[in-house]
Each structure stands twice: as C-alpha cells, then as structure tokens.
C-alpha cells in the first residue's frame, strides 16, 4: 500500500460514513417536515437559537441536534430482570450492521491518477483516459487506479446480503433480553418479517445479475453506463426491490414490529437514552444504505446519460450527435455528485411513501411477501431468462435495435433530469402562496350518497 492509496482509503471511509450519518440525521427532520406538509400542520419549529436577541429556527433543522442532545442526557434505564449483556449489545449490532454495508457501495467511477495532477493547476497529462475498462497504471511514477469504493470486494452483492441478514439478530435479541412480552412479540414480528422479505429482496436481484453478468456493484454501474439504466431492463425487479427494502427497514406501511397501538414500541420498548437513540438512528441509516443500493443497481449509480469517464458523448445507434473531451477530474466530481443526488431523491421518495400509505395488518403483510412479491420475483427470473436467450439467438439486427433503444432511454432520462432540476430551481425562488383548498367534508359526501341512516336505539 502506497501513501497515496492509504490517504485515498481514509478519505473514502470519511466520505461514506459522514454522508450516512449526516443524511440520517437530516431524514429525522425531513420526516417531520414532510408529514407536516402532507397533513397541513406547522411542523418542527420549537428549537430556537438566540443571537443578539434575534431568534433563528432554520426551518426546524435544529431539532435533530436537540434530539441528539436529549438522547445523551436521558437516563439509561435497564429492566431489573433483563439480560444485561444482550440488552447492551442489541443496539450496537443494529448500528454496526448498517455501516458495514457502505464498504462495498461505489460512489464514483475509477480515478485515473495519470490523467491529471496538481502542479500548476493542470488537470490533463499522460495517455488519454479509456472510456471503458480499467485505467492504466504506472508503478514507476506511482500512478495506480483509485476505485471510489471503500472495499472493492469480488463478491459484491453477496456481501451485502450476508451483512444485511445480521440485522435480524439485533432486533431479535433486543426483544428477548428485555423481559417484556410486548418487546418479545415485536422481536418475533421483526424476525419473521425481515426473513420473509429478504427472500424477495434476493430473488428480485437475480434477474439483474443475469443481465449484468456480475455480482460486483461497480461492474453493474459500468454496464448501465455503457447500455442503459437497470430500471429499464428490470422494471418489475426495481419495484420488488424497493418494496422489499422498505419492509426490511420496518417503516410505514411495514412498521408492524413497532405498532404503537398493539406493541407500544415493539422490540425496543424498554430502551431509553442513547440505546434507544441507536435503534432510532439505525432505522434512518438503513433508509440511506437501502437507497444507495437501489441507486447502484437500478438507477445507474454514479452514471449520468451521455456523461462518461473521458467526456460527453451523445450518440444514437452509430450516429454521433455531439462529442466533447472533458478533463477527467471534473467528470469524477460530477459522478460523485450525481450518485449522492440520486440517493437524496430516493430517500425523499421513501419519506413520501411513509406519510402516504396506511399500515398493513400483520396477516396482510405476510401474504404480500409470500403470495405476491415472491411469486412475482420468481416469474421475473423466468421471463428474464427466456427473453435473454431469445435475444442472444436473434442476431446482430436485434443487438443494433437494442442499442438504439438504450440510447433513447438515456435521452429520456437526460430530459427528465433537466426538467426536474429546472422545476426545483424555479420552485425554490418562487414566492410562497398559502391557499387552503377544501376538497370536501364528511357531511357533503354523506349527503351525495343519500344522507345518513340512523339505526333505532336499543335499550
């Protein structure tokens, strides 16, 4: 290991860990803010900082900091008959398993050090960067490719499944060691739910792995960069994976292990102080890591349409519309920003889902997993195999048609991203208009249906 690679590894670890930590904290605010917008409430506004007699609320962003301070200062309660060792280990395991996942998630393309240097602020030297494949290495000058992933393991997605499966243990031992029947019931629900939806989670990715021909996450992104995003070649798998990921995170509408009306707080009912904070924070960290996996496997990872390692190339089939070489450093920066931007969008989508859908009953949750999602994932594998074999035997004409279709999907994505960014910018600077629209009332709805019918009172 050279000093350059050691420094690069430390920087990569800091980037991923700090992103997950900070975004998880911001998501606690986003949950409250989004729910208040959907339910027409004020939202978080009580945390205030006074500077020179003026109050600053920062749109409620001070609440995550206040919550963290409260967790540190609250009493660390432990039930008298609890298993003290397991009771203490459970929240640690819940947190640790989340952060082990980020080690194999790539957040950018490979950096080719021979393509730029810092002397005189020149960012282009040596041989040109290859659009596909691996970067050239020059040991004599100390140039080695730097993969923007903490641990580029060859097993890739298999490591993710191995580590994600350990999260069940934290919830199970938390409920069992608490000496509380509600906690134990919540632990049983969490274990059965997570085991059930992990099956669908894994099965939904088999079709994608058949298409990509690899289990390495960075190679999956490179396939999407060269062809098209995974959501276009595996649309059903995308929705199956998203649904199963939300269920794995135990968030609404799949929050049965923590159903307040039935189990108080579920498997962490007896936890207080920072131990509860670790469970609470781990849930939001799981949202971030799940979004990272979804982006990597189905939404192109760091890739943007027509933006490649060596520059911009707009091409449809064999017709080149536009081509421009861009310094490699700036393309890498754009890759990293694109990846984290996509993760933010998926996290926002999960927050919206939480405050939109009602909670399932437990029997409905299990039926959805075993009778609908799992058969759908198996059918997706079968259809993917049949279509893949048919396309392999179709010849060059089908390959050319697929390439053109892939380029068209890239153009559609490029237009959609441009429109979305412009709408966000315009909406940010547009004046806020408060207007109340009354859609209807229960009395009006009842009147349209013929009025209410009162039953005769019984003694």
């Amino acid at each position: 290991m050279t000093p350059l690679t050691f420094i690069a590894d430390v920087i990569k670890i800091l980037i991923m860990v700090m992103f997950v930590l900070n975004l998880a904290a911001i998501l606690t605010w986003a949950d409250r803010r989004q729910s208040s917008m959907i339910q027409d409430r004020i939202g978080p506004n009580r945390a205030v900082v006074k500077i020179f007699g003026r109050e600053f609320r920062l749109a409620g962003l001070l609440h995550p900091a206040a919550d963290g301070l409260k967790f540190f200062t609250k009493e660390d309660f432990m039930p008298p008959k609890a298993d003290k060792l397991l009771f203490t280990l459970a929240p640690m395991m819940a947190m640790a398993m989340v952060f082990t996942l980020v080690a194999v998630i790539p957040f950018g393309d490979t950096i080719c050090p021979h393509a730029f240097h810092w002397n005189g602020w020149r960012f282009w030297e040596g041989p040109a960067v290859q659009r596909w494949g691996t970067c050239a290495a020059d040991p004599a000058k100390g140039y080695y490719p730097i993969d923007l992933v903490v641990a580029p393991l060859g097993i890739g997605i298999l490591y993710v499944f191995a580590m994600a499966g350990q999260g069940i243990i934290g919830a199970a031992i938390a409920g069992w060691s608490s000496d509380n029947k509600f906690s134990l019931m919540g632990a049983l629900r969490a274990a059965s739910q997570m085991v059930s939806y992990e099956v669908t989670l894994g099965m939904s990715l088999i079709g994608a792995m058949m298409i990509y021909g690899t289990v390495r996450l960075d190679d999956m992104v490179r396939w999407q960069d060269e062809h098209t995003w995974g959501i276009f070649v595996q649309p059903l798998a995308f929705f199956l994976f998203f649904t199963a990921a939300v269920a794995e995170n135990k968030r609404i509408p799949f929050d049965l292990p923590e159903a307040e009306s039935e189990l108080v707080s579920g498997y962490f009912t007896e936890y207080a102080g920072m131990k509860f904070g670790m469970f609470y924070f781990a849930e939001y960290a799981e949202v971030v890591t799940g979004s990272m996996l979804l982006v990597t496997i189905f939404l192109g990872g760091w890739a943007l349409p027509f933006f490649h390692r060596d520059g911009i190339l707009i091409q449809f089939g064999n017709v080149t519309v536009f081509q421009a070489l861009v310094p490699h450093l700036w393309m890498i920066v754009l890759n990293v920003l694109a990846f984290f931007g996509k993760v933010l969008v998926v996290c926002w989508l999960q927050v919206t889902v939480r405050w939109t859908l009602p909670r399932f009953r437990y029997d409905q949750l299990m039926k959805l997993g075993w009778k609908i999602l799992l058969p759908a994932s198996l059918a997706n594998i079968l259809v993917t195999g049949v279509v893949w074999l048919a396309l392999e035997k179709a010849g060059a004409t089908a390959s050319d048609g697929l390439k053109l279709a892939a380029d068209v999907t890239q153009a559609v994505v490029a237009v959609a991203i441009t429109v979305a960014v412009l709408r966000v910018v315009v909406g940010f600077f547009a004046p806020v208009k408060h207007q109340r629209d009354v859609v209807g009332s229960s009395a009006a709805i009842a009147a349209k249906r013929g009025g209410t019918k009162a039953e005769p009172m019984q003694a």
Side-chain angles (χ1 to χ4, degrees), residues 56 74 81 92 171 227 245 286 370 421 438 446 457:
F56 295 91
K74 283 192 173 183
K81 296 183 180 181
M92 298 181 187
H227 299 89
E286 288 175 3
W370 289 106
V421 171
V438 179
M457 298 181 65

Side-chain angles (χ1 to χ4, degrees), residues 162-198:
M163 292 297 103
Q166 304 305 312
I168 302 171
I169 301 175
I173 67 175
W176 183 85
S177 63
S178 295
D179 189 38
N180 182 306
K181 61 181 180 181
F182 296 109
S183 299
L184 181 59
M185 184 65 70
L188 293 174
R189 283 188 174 188
S192 58
Q193 175 177 325
M194 295 174 74
V195 168
S196 300
Y197 281 85
E198 267 192 11

Side-chain angles (χ1 to χ4, degrees), residues 109 129-133 225 308-313 315 323 325:
D109 201 355
V129 178
Q130 296 179 0
R131 181 174 303 154
W132 316 118
D225 188 18
H308 306 291
R309 187 187 296 168
D310 60 342
I312 304 173
L313 174 64
Q315 189 176 34
Q323 184 174 9
L325 292 177

Side-chain angles (χ1 to χ4, degrees), residues 47 118 131 204 224:
W118 296 97
R131 181 174 303 154
S204 65
Q224 296 174 76

Side-chain angles (χ1 to χ4, degrees), residues 59-81:
L61 282 171
L62 297 173
H63 279 256
D67 289 339
L69 184 61
K70 286 193 299 181
F71 286 142
F72 277 109
T73 56
K74 283 192 173 183
E75 179 186 2
D76 184 15
F77 172 79
M78 182 179 295
K81 296 183 180 181

Side-chain angles (χ1 to χ4, degrees), residues 205-216 219-220 223 388:
L205 295 183
I206 293 180
M209 289 187 286
M210 292 166 62
I211 299 291
Y212 301 147
T214 180
V215 295
R216 287 180 59 106
D219 288 340
M220 291 182 181
W223 189 96
W388 184 257

Side-chain angles (χ1 to χ4, degrees), residues 292-307:
M292 286 181 172
L293 288 172
L294 188 76
V295 167
T296 301
I297 299 171
F298 294 102
L299 298 180
W302 67 75
L304 286 174
F306 309 121
F307 285 75

